[in-house]
Amino acid sequence: MSSETTQQRSGPPASAPRSFSGRLRLIGPGIVLALASVGASDMITTMNSGAEYGLALIWVFTVGILLKFVLSDAVSRLQMSGDRMLLSHFTRFGGRLFPGLLLVAELLVGLFFGAGVVAVATNILQAIFPVLPFWPTAVVVLASAAILVGIGRYGIVEKAMMGFGIIMFLGIIALAISVFQGQDAQDVAAATIVPVFPEGSIITVMSLIGGVGGATGILAYSFWIREKSWRSADWKPVVRLDLLISYGLVFVFAVAMSAVGAFILYGQGFTIADNDALFAIAESLVGSIGEVGRLIFLLSFLAVVYTSVLGGFSGIAYVTADAIRVLRRYPHQDEPRFEMSATSVEFRVVLIYLSVATLVIMGLGKPVTLVLVYAAISAFILPVLALALLVILNRSSVPQSLRNSWWSNVLLAVCLGLFGFLAVLQVIESVSGFVG
């Protein structure tokens, strides 16, 4: 282990603080998780929900956020149950099988992830500063993220994410408040505030439940708390507070974006199909709340996407590198000399892979076949994760305070059923794409 990594991990206190204020001062990985988990696709999903149903489907996002909290909490408890990396724990559940499947899924995720988010971030910068050329700007966006993550110090990424997070959440809250003006907006709120279950839309509702937050972020959270040295059961209250704040922020984001969609688009039959439609909304805001409203929207949009770049690169690099480490070193992967960190060779290699893949896919476009394969494989990460957590966290080898409670078991079983169903739907859609 490098001296830099050792110094980084010597920062947190040796034991967990007992006071609320002491715990609050240490939060950070949850902020990174929240910002990494929401992106442009979540803006489209939540705003479309508002445009079609007003505020009536906020309960759907609430259920989805609750289930992601349950998964994140279980992953963190598993991480704290012993001084092993996350995927080392999963070798008890099928040996190399889970790390192998996860490596394939993460390599496919990494192949397409960077191209999408870097291109969108570049387009937003061009909308704010029209003189910027596309490719040089895209290279700067990519290089800045790769350098911040590649320095090898998690604390730098956390501080950068918090800075952009302040811009993002202040922006979307200000935007939601600003569009809630006049009798029309108040009428929409009053007419749609009661929760509903749209008739004949069970698949749509279940997809919305599964759509807020991502699998890679949930897995990566275990590495981020490990970098903070939250490694034992006495840190569980700190982690719980960190996660509550994390998913509270995701909830605020979902509600604010639903409100914006409801107060601007409800009843107009307008559907946000892609990122271009988000830019059209930015332009439409000029007529309702002025140029300042457009700028707030674009800056918030930029913060959403750029934090996805940073958090996504960090999360994918940790998870993929650990999968490589376990597959290479199994069954000796837990020896101290093989411990994975952001300064490891595997981490740096994955980061290079992400950077090169971003430029290549941006230049070639997204190959349809690979996109369908990626979607089908990655859809199974959450149900397999839920199953593994149900098995491992009920074993006697796990400290009593970190084992599943009855409610954890019930909710993890719900996660398994729901995300398993959604995975099957994704496979059907992917197969239809092949056939079509």
Side-chain angles (χ1 to χ4, degrees), residues 9-285:
R9 289 176 179 166
S10 65
S15 59
R18 295 177 178 271
S19 67
F20 177 80
S21 60
R23 294 167 183 169
L24 191 62
R25 282 194 294 269
L26 294 178
I27 65 166
I31 306 296
V32 177
L33 173 61
L35 297 175
S37 297
V38 297
S41 62
D42 296 297
M43 288 187 72
I44 291 173
T45 300
T46 50
M47 291 183 72
N48 263 336
S49 168
E52 188 170 357
Y53 299 103
L55 305 180
L57 293 189
I58 288 177
W59 71 270
V60 177
F61 302 122
T62 304
V63 172
I65 289 167
L66 173 63
L67 294 180
K68 297 294 177 64
F69 172 86
V70 169
L71 283 172
S72 299
D73 175 72
V75 164
S76 64
R77 284 187 285 112
L78 179 59
Q79 178 62 72
M80 291 183 289
S81 68
D83 196 20
R84 314 174 77 194
M85 305 300 289
L86 179 69
L87 296 189
S88 292
H89 285 285
F90 286 130
T91 57
R92 300 176 181 176
F93 183 69
R96 286 190 176 99
L97 179 61
F98 189 84
L101 293 174
L102 195 59
L103 176 61
V104 173
E106 290 296 317
L107 286 175
L108 285 169
V109 169
L111 187 63
F112 300 108
F113 172 81
V117 290
V118 169
V120 174
T122 303
N123 290 333
I124 300 170
L125 286 169
Q126 287 182 308
I128 299 173
F129 306 104
V131 297
L132 293 177
F134 179 82
W135 275 105
T137 305
V139 170
V140 170
V141 171
L142 172 61
S144 65
I147 290 171
L148 279 172
V149 175
I151 288 173
R153 292 179 58 193
Y154 163 76
I156 292 177
V157 175
E158 183 179 286
K159 287 182 174 61
M161 295 278 280
M162 284 187 169
F164 280 99
I166 291 172
I167 296 173
M168 169 182 159
F169 283 103
L170 289 180
I172 63 174
I173 291 172
L175 188 64
I177 293 173
S178 64
V179 297
F180 186 60
Q181 303 290 335
Q183 190 61 41
D184 289 344
Q186 295 173 23
D187 290 344
V188 169
T192 63
I193 193 65
V194 178
V196 299
F197 194 104
E199 185 177 353
S201 300
I202 184 171
I203 293 178
T204 299
V205 169
M206 292 184 73
S207 298
L208 288 174
I209 290 175
V212 183
T216 298
I218 292 173
L219 290 167
Y221 182 73
S222 69
F223 297 94
W224 294 329
I225 66 173
R226 189 176 175 84
E227 292 285 5
K228 300 280 281 190
S229 294
W230 300 352
R231 300 189 177 198
S232 57
D234 61 326
W235 286 94
K236 187 169 75 169
V238 177
V239 171
R240 285 267 171 89
L241 177 61
D242 192 55
L243 284 173
L244 283 171
I245 292 173
S246 172
Y247 284 101
L249 291 175
V250 175
F251 176 77
V252 169
F253 170 85
V255 172
M257 288 295 96
S258 295
V260 171
F263 299 148
I264 298 176
L265 304 171
Y266 181 72
Q268 298 180 22
F270 183 83
T271 300
I272 305 169
D274 51 30
N275 295 320
D276 291 337
L278 289 175
F279 288 106
I281 289 175
E283 298 302 326
S284 70
L285 286 172

